[in-house]
Amino acid sequence: MSGTASITKNRARGARRPDLRVIGPLVALVVLVLIGMALNPNFLSYANITNVLARSAFIGIIAIGMTFVITAGGLDLSVGSMAAFVAGLMILVMNLLAGSMGDGLAVLLLGVALALLAGLAAGFINGVLITRAGIEAFILTLGTMGIYRSLVTWLADGGTLSLGYQLRELYRPVYYGGLFGISWPIIVFALLAVLGEVVMRHTAFGRHCAAIGSNEKVARYSSVAVARVKLATYAILGLLVGIAVVMYVPRLGSASATTGLLWELEAIAAVIIGGTLLKGGFGRVWGTVVGVLILSLIGNLLNLTDFVSPYLNGAIQGVVIILAVVLQRNTGAAR
Amino acid sequence: MKKTLIATTALIGLCAGPALAETIGISIPAATHGWAGALNFHAERTVERLKAANPDLDFVLTTTSDPGQQVSDLEDMVATRNIDALVVLPFESEPLTAPVQRIAESGVWVTVVDRGLSQEGIENLYVAGDNDSFGRTAGKYFADTLEDGAKVVVMRGIASTVDNERVAGFQAALEGSGIEVLAMDHANWNRDNAFNLMQDYLSRFPEIDAVWAADDDQAVGALAAIEQAGREGEMIVVGGAGMKEMVDRIRNGDKAVPVNVTYPPSMISTAIEMTALGLTGAAPMSGEFILTSELITPENADKFYFEDSPY
């Protein structure tokens, strides 16, 4: 009995010794970069790096929010479908507005505002049902996952919702344009990651999330507003889904029933690879960013080479995910 | 093996329905991607039209997104709706074979669409697209128009027998043409995956003359990536299945998208209509009906453009 207690205590202390536990995902990332350099001279080219970072941004932005939800002991399986639904809704409304208001900037801004609001509202609904109605997060978000996926299929009439040509041209720079040669999705992702890390490390909200995740009852007795903080994590995640959608829609200007498929699992995987505990109580946003980069680098590397059969891509990704987590757990438990 | 059955005079049969109402059950995959969405669109439209034309016909239409659910749907149809005929697009061949066989043995007319069952001789009628011809038609276009030594990249769909047959047909058509296939990877019939894959192809190969995207959703993603890299005009993109945006680009003479290959989702209409004829008419309807993939060119594109279709 006391043996298990001391192990847990050591683990907890390990969390405060970053030099050991941090190393796993970073090693995996460095190894992947080295393999990439060996396999293809274009790997470190400006275009390739930009592509990989920009495509990571959607999952990355969502995964930042997921870090807070998981740290507070929750889970959200609905984010992929939610993104698809919000994207579909945004496109539909923008096309409708363009009919009466013309293809101006006003329509674009209304669309962006709608996406952010819809994301926030969807996250808020998840949060309210989990904290007030007391439904298990796993089950509730499994339910909303199905609801949003069906809604976007229904909105699109089984096909694809596409943004009108004029609006798409106007909106395009939000994904393809940028500042000083760095594209907008990367800039937004980086800013949100820094903001997330600061909130997690240096604010009462971040500490409350960790407190709730490690022991909800104790947190309640310590006068943490448990329900409100948990609700806030889901609402923030919803808002971040909205931001991700704002960056995603200008890329292909369309949304369909296959949009955002499995994003929830990729986001959760990134969070866990990055060192956040799945059972809650400890989270780090910068680790999540490393996790997201690992995931998209594997995909990129597999496309840059014919080294393995494409049928085995999923297996390679699985192995790297497991390795990253194993490296980190082992160093953590090594006391 | 593939006898092509041609039903030209059969429409007459529709008008001479029997006195008793006949029920046709239709089970197809849910509208989870563009092609399946169009499949649903054409199925619903055909049911409405046939109902209006023939009050003696009754229809049950179910859509499912996994094989297990589809088996349950079929059981429900037989148990509660007492269907006389079944039009089924099996989600997967293996798991659906035995259930459909049981239904066929109970005396129900069975029409199988597109994905065949894993055992021969169960269905009365088989209506399908031709995956080999889908790949072969695109490959033949490349072999005919590209120069010797031209470089091609291939985007495959979801790893499946459908995908394998298409790629085999494509490769067979390229044989001896001197065209070099640089790489083949899966983009899973998905725009986002195709966008990422094309970006990676573009950083990997400095010279690409043509892309076989093997599906129009993939072509959309590939075209966006090519445009982003500023390499328009260097290569052509050939998709497939006849998405209306692509057909529109072809008929407007877009240089990047010169042709397309059909794999019509409206084949479900063919199947439903022929089943209705088989039930109500006197003309023989059993056999196989294979729809060849046609090449859509600027000259014939108007024929393949459906304004109302979601795909």
Side-chain angles (χ1 to χ4, degrees), chain B residues 15-66:
Chain B
C15 312
L20 279 170
E22 304 268 7
T23 307
I24 300 180
I26 304 164
S27 173
I28 53 177
T32 49
H33 61 276
W35 193 85
L39 190 80
N40 280 262
F41 166 81
H42 285 290
E44 281 166 31
R45 222 173 51 156
T46 310
V47 165
E48 269 166 41
R49 194 155 40 81
L50 285 179
K51 256 188 193 160
N54 195 334
D56 288 332
L57 279 179
D58 215 0
F59 293 90
V60 194
L61 175 66
T62 63
T63 61
T64 43
S65 47
D66 71 275

XYZ file of all heavy atoms in Angstrom, chain B residues 15-66:
379
model
N -45.444 -0.054 -67.975
C -46.838 0.376 -68.056
C -47.789 -0.789 -67.800
O -48.957 -0.595 -67.496
C -47.122 0.978 -69.424
S -45.870 2.164 -69.896
N -47.296 -2.012 -67.938
C -48.158 -3.175 -67.813
C -47.965 -3.875 -66.480
O -47.701 -5.049 -66.400
C -47.902 -4.139 -68.957
N -48.065 -3.101 -65.387
C -47.863 -3.670 -64.068
C -48.974 -4.618 -63.658
O -50.094 -4.494 -64.128
N -48.679 -5.553 -62.744
C -49.706 -6.469 -62.261
C -50.610 -5.775 -61.247
O -50.315 -4.677 -60.782
C -48.894 -7.574 -61.590
C -47.626 -6.908 -61.172
C -47.374 -5.804 -62.138
N -51.692 -6.405 -60.875
C -52.673 -5.789 -59.989
C -52.135 -5.635 -58.568
O -52.389 -4.650 -57.898
C -53.953 -6.607 -59.981
N -51.358 -6.646 -58.084
C -50.865 -6.605 -56.713
C -49.688 -5.655 -56.568
O -48.864 -5.552 -57.454
C -50.419 -8.010 -56.284
C -51.545 -8.954 -55.828
C -51.000 -10.342 -55.668
C -52.176 -8.472 -54.541
N -49.612 -4.940 -55.437
C -48.486 -4.037 -55.210
C -47.206 -4.839 -54.937
O -47.237 -5.829 -54.210
C -48.785 -3.126 -54.033
N -46.142 -4.433 -55.562
C -44.859 -5.087 -55.341
C -43.970 -4.138 -54.545
O -43.952 -2.939 -54.806
C -44.185 -5.386 -56.686
C -45.026 -6.221 -57.630
C -44.745 -7.706 -57.479
O -43.996 -8.076 -56.544
O -45.277 -8.494 -58.286
N -43.227 -4.662 -53.577
C -42.355 -3.816 -52.774
C -40.899 -4.077 -53.135
O -40.457 -5.222 -53.175
C -42.569 -4.099 -51.278
O -43.956 -3.992 -51.000
C -41.793 -3.115 -50.431
N -40.197 -2.993 -53.416
C -38.764 -3.095 -53.716
C -37.978 -2.468 -52.576
O -38.179 -1.309 -52.238
C -38.424 -2.385 -55.045
C -39.212 -3.019 -56.197
C -36.927 -2.436 -55.317
C -38.945 -2.381 -57.545
N -37.100 -3.241 -51.960
C -36.230 -2.713 -50.914
C -34.920 -2.244 -51.522
O -34.373 -2.898 -52.409
N -34.439 -1.086 -51.083
C -33.171 -0.566 -51.595
C -32.258 -0.277 -50.412
O -32.644 0.442 -49.489
C -33.391 0.728 -52.404
C -34.386 0.490 -53.536
C -32.066 1.255 -52.952
C -34.947 1.750 -54.129
N -31.080 -0.848 -50.410
C -30.136 -0.622 -49.313
C -28.805 -0.135 -49.876
O -28.138 -0.857 -50.614
C -29.934 -1.921 -48.530
O -28.925 -1.753 -47.580
N -28.449 1.110 -49.538
C -27.213 1.696 -50.086
C -26.423 2.374 -48.984
O -26.954 2.669 -47.924
C -27.531 2.726 -51.209
C -28.542 3.759 -50.706
C -28.034 2.040 -52.450
C -28.846 4.845 -51.708
N -25.130 2.621 -49.215
C -24.322 3.313 -48.206
C -24.819 4.739 -47.970
O -25.344 5.378 -48.874
C -22.918 3.344 -48.814
C -22.911 2.246 -49.809
C -24.302 2.177 -50.350
N -24.641 5.220 -46.746
C -25.062 6.569 -46.382
C -24.237 7.611 -47.129
O -23.134 7.335 -47.603
C -24.931 6.770 -44.882
N -24.778 8.815 -47.195
C -24.143 9.895 -47.954
C -22.975 10.496 -47.185
O -23.031 11.627 -46.755
C -25.173 10.973 -48.253
N -21.925 9.709 -47.006
C -20.805 10.239 -46.221
C -19.700 10.811 -47.087
O -18.763 11.394 -46.582
C -20.196 9.155 -45.331
O -19.967 8.009 -46.135
C -21.116 8.807 -44.191
N -19.733 10.633 -48.387
C -18.809 11.372 -49.254
C -19.523 11.708 -50.559
O -20.643 11.257 -50.785
C -17.509 10.593 -49.485
C -17.692 9.279 -50.160
N -18.022 8.142 -49.476
C -17.617 8.923 -51.457
C -18.129 7.137 -50.323
N -17.892 7.580 -51.527
N -18.889 12.513 -51.357
C -19.542 13.072 -52.531
C -20.226 12.039 -53.420
O -21.394 12.182 -53.773
N -19.488 10.978 -53.740
C -20.041 9.995 -54.673
C -21.263 9.323 -54.076
O -22.285 9.158 -54.738
C -18.965 8.959 -55.017
C -19.330 8.096 -56.185
C -19.150 8.384 -57.510
C -19.951 6.805 -56.137
N -19.634 7.355 -58.286
C -20.125 6.371 -57.472
C -20.387 5.978 -55.106
C -20.693 5.151 -57.796
C -20.962 4.754 -55.440
C -21.114 4.350 -56.771
N -21.178 8.950 -52.794
C -22.313 8.304 -52.127
C -23.474 9.284 -51.982
O -24.641 8.883 -52.032
C -21.889 7.778 -50.762
N -23.154 10.571 -51.811
C -24.189 11.592 -51.745
C -24.993 11.623 -53.039
O -26.224 11.650 -53.038
N -24.264 11.575 -54.148
C -24.921 11.576 -55.449
C -25.707 10.286 -55.651
O -26.779 10.288 -56.251
C -23.883 11.744 -56.561
N -25.177 9.194 -55.131
C -25.875 7.905 -55.193
C -27.242 8.036 -54.521
O -28.267 7.603 -55.061
C -25.028 6.847 -54.485
C -25.443 5.388 -54.619
C -24.965 4.841 -55.948
C -24.856 4.563 -53.491
N -27.269 8.652 -53.341
C -28.517 8.867 -52.610
C -29.460 9.769 -53.392
O -30.658 9.519 -53.466
C -28.232 9.487 -51.235
C -27.794 8.449 -50.226
O -28.593 7.980 -49.441
N -26.533 8.050 -50.264
N -28.888 10.833 -53.963
C -29.668 11.780 -54.761
C -30.376 11.048 -55.897
O -31.589 11.174 -56.085
C -28.737 12.872 -55.287
C -29.309 13.729 -56.385
C -30.163 14.776 -56.088
C -28.979 13.482 -57.705
C -30.684 15.574 -57.093
C -29.498 14.272 -58.717
C -30.351 15.317 -58.417
N -29.620 10.235 -56.649
C -30.207 9.540 -57.799
C -31.200 8.470 -57.366
O -32.217 8.258 -58.024
C -29.098 8.932 -58.664
C -28.364 9.954 -59.480
N -28.936 10.615 -60.545
C -27.116 10.450 -59.368
C -28.057 11.462 -61.057
N -26.944 11.397 -60.355
N -30.920 7.808 -56.228
C -31.837 6.770 -55.733
C -33.184 7.388 -55.382
O -34.240 6.903 -55.798
C -31.234 6.067 -54.525
N -33.140 8.493 -54.620
C -34.388 9.132 -54.217
C -35.187 9.630 -55.411
O -36.396 9.475 -55.481
C -34.093 10.305 -53.271
C -33.808 9.864 -51.848
C -33.189 10.965 -51.009
O -33.505 12.145 -51.278
O -32.388 10.639 -50.099
N -34.466 10.222 -56.363
C -35.141 10.757 -57.544
C -35.816 9.645 -58.345
O -36.935 9.787 -58.824
C -34.124 11.493 -58.415
C -34.661 12.788 -58.965
C -33.624 13.588 -59.665
N -32.896 12.795 -60.666
C -32.283 13.336 -61.707
N -32.317 14.629 -61.872
N -31.619 12.595 -62.559
N -35.114 8.513 -58.471
C -35.665 7.401 -59.245
C -36.888 6.819 -58.555
O -37.892 6.497 -59.205
C -34.594 6.311 -59.419
O -33.405 6.919 -59.889
C -35.056 5.258 -60.394
N -36.814 6.685 -57.217
C -37.944 6.146 -56.466
C -39.175 7.028 -56.662
O -40.270 6.546 -56.945
C -37.583 6.033 -54.970
C -38.837 5.830 -54.134
C -36.606 4.886 -54.754
N -38.977 8.337 -56.548
C -40.103 9.259 -56.727
C -40.730 9.120 -58.116
O -41.943 9.052 -58.264
C -39.633 10.714 -56.556
C -39.740 11.218 -55.128
C -38.965 12.509 -54.940
O -39.029 13.371 -55.849
O -38.284 12.632 -53.904
N -39.846 9.059 -59.096
C -40.334 8.986 -60.479
C -41.095 7.677 -60.727
O -42.180 7.676 -61.310
C -39.149 9.103 -61.436
C -39.529 9.385 -62.865
C -38.393 10.083 -63.607
N -37.090 9.531 -63.257
C -36.596 8.414 -63.784
N -37.306 7.750 -64.665
N -35.414 7.990 -63.420
N -40.540 6.571 -60.247
C -41.179 5.275 -60.484
C -42.502 5.174 -59.732
O -43.459 4.595 -60.214
C -40.252 4.136 -60.068
C -39.099 3.846 -61.020
C -38.240 2.721 -60.493
C -39.622 3.495 -62.407
N -42.522 5.737 -58.520
C -43.762 5.729 -57.733
C -44.861 6.473 -58.480
O -45.998 6.026 -58.548
C -43.524 6.425 -56.391
C -43.399 5.478 -55.215
C -43.366 6.293 -53.941
C -42.938 5.455 -52.770
N -42.451 6.309 -51.671
N -44.508 7.631 -59.026
C -45.483 8.434 -59.745
C -45.963 7.706 -60.988
O -47.142 7.746 -61.340
C -44.881 9.785 -60.112
N -45.027 7.008 -61.640
C -45.381 6.355 -62.898
C -46.129 5.047 -62.664
O -46.860 4.576 -63.523
C -44.119 6.091 -63.724
N -45.909 4.447 -61.493
C -46.476 3.125 -61.266
C -46.990 2.975 -59.835
O -46.226 2.657 -58.935
C -45.400 2.074 -61.561
C -45.999 0.695 -61.697
O -47.059 0.416 -61.123
N -45.356 -0.150 -62.454
N -48.273 3.208 -59.608
C -48.832 3.168 -58.249
C -48.753 1.777 -57.613
O -48.883 1.656 -56.392
C -50.292 3.594 -58.451
C -50.545 3.550 -59.909
C -49.263 3.583 -60.630
N -48.529 0.739 -58.420
C -48.446 -0.611 -57.870
C -47.084 -0.917 -57.259
O -46.882 -1.992 -56.712
C -48.744 -1.643 -58.964
C -50.221 -1.625 -59.322
O -51.016 -1.263 -58.435
O -50.548 -1.954 -60.468
N -46.156 0.013 -57.388
C -44.819 -0.234 -56.838
C -44.639 0.512 -55.519
O -45.030 1.662 -55.376
C -43.744 0.225 -57.818
C -43.396 -0.725 -58.959
C -42.339 -0.099 -59.831
C -42.925 -2.077 -58.433
N -44.044 -0.189 -54.568
C -43.775 0.397 -53.264
C -42.276 0.304 -53.011
O -41.644 -0.669 -53.430
C -44.544 -0.411 -52.207
C -45.030 0.493 -51.100
O -44.763 1.699 -51.174
O -45.671 -0.023 -50.168
N -41.699 1.294 -52.320
C -40.247 1.267 -52.117
C -39.873 1.448 -50.659
O -40.535 2.173 -49.914
C -39.576 2.374 -52.933
C -39.665 2.177 -54.412
C -40.741 2.687 -55.129
C -38.686 1.464 -55.083
C -40.837 2.488 -56.486
C -38.776 1.263 -56.444
C -39.858 1.780 -57.152
N -38.821 0.767 -50.238
C -38.228 0.992 -48.928
C -36.767 1.350 -49.177
O -36.022 0.554 -49.746
C -38.242 -0.287 -48.052
C -37.947 0.083 -46.614
C -39.544 -1.026 -48.179
N -36.369 2.555 -48.769
C -34.986 2.973 -49.006
C -34.264 3.136 -47.675
O -34.713 3.877 -46.806
C -34.982 4.298 -49.781
C -33.619 4.959 -50.034
C -32.770 4.104 -50.954
C -33.796 6.338 -50.641
N -33.173 2.401 -47.502
C -32.388 2.573 -46.271
C -30.942 2.904 -46.632
O -30.437 2.459 -47.652
C -32.367 1.309 -45.398
O -31.726 0.269 -46.130
C -33.755 0.874 -45.001
N -30.317 3.727 -45.779
C -28.900 4.032 -45.988
C -28.142 3.694 -44.709
O -28.637 3.894 -43.613
C -28.700 5.525 -46.298
O -29.166 6.288 -45.188
C -29.460 5.935 -47.528
N -26.936 3.191 -44.872
C -26.160 2.768 -43.699
C -24.709 3.176 -43.876
O -24.239 3.350 -44.993
C -26.170 1.248 -43.534
O -25.987 0.657 -44.808
C -27.438 0.768 -42.917
N -24.016 3.301 -42.763
C -22.596 3.649 -42.886
C -21.683 2.530 -42.404
O -20.497 2.747 -42.245
C -22.303 4.949 -42.136
O -22.882 4.908 -40.870
N -22.221 1.331 -42.147
C -21.319 0.203 -41.893
C -22.005 -1.114 -42.226
O -23.226 -1.197 -42.261
C -20.821 0.216 -40.438
C -21.912 -0.141 -39.455
O -22.665 0.777 -39.072
O -22.021 -1.315 -39.091
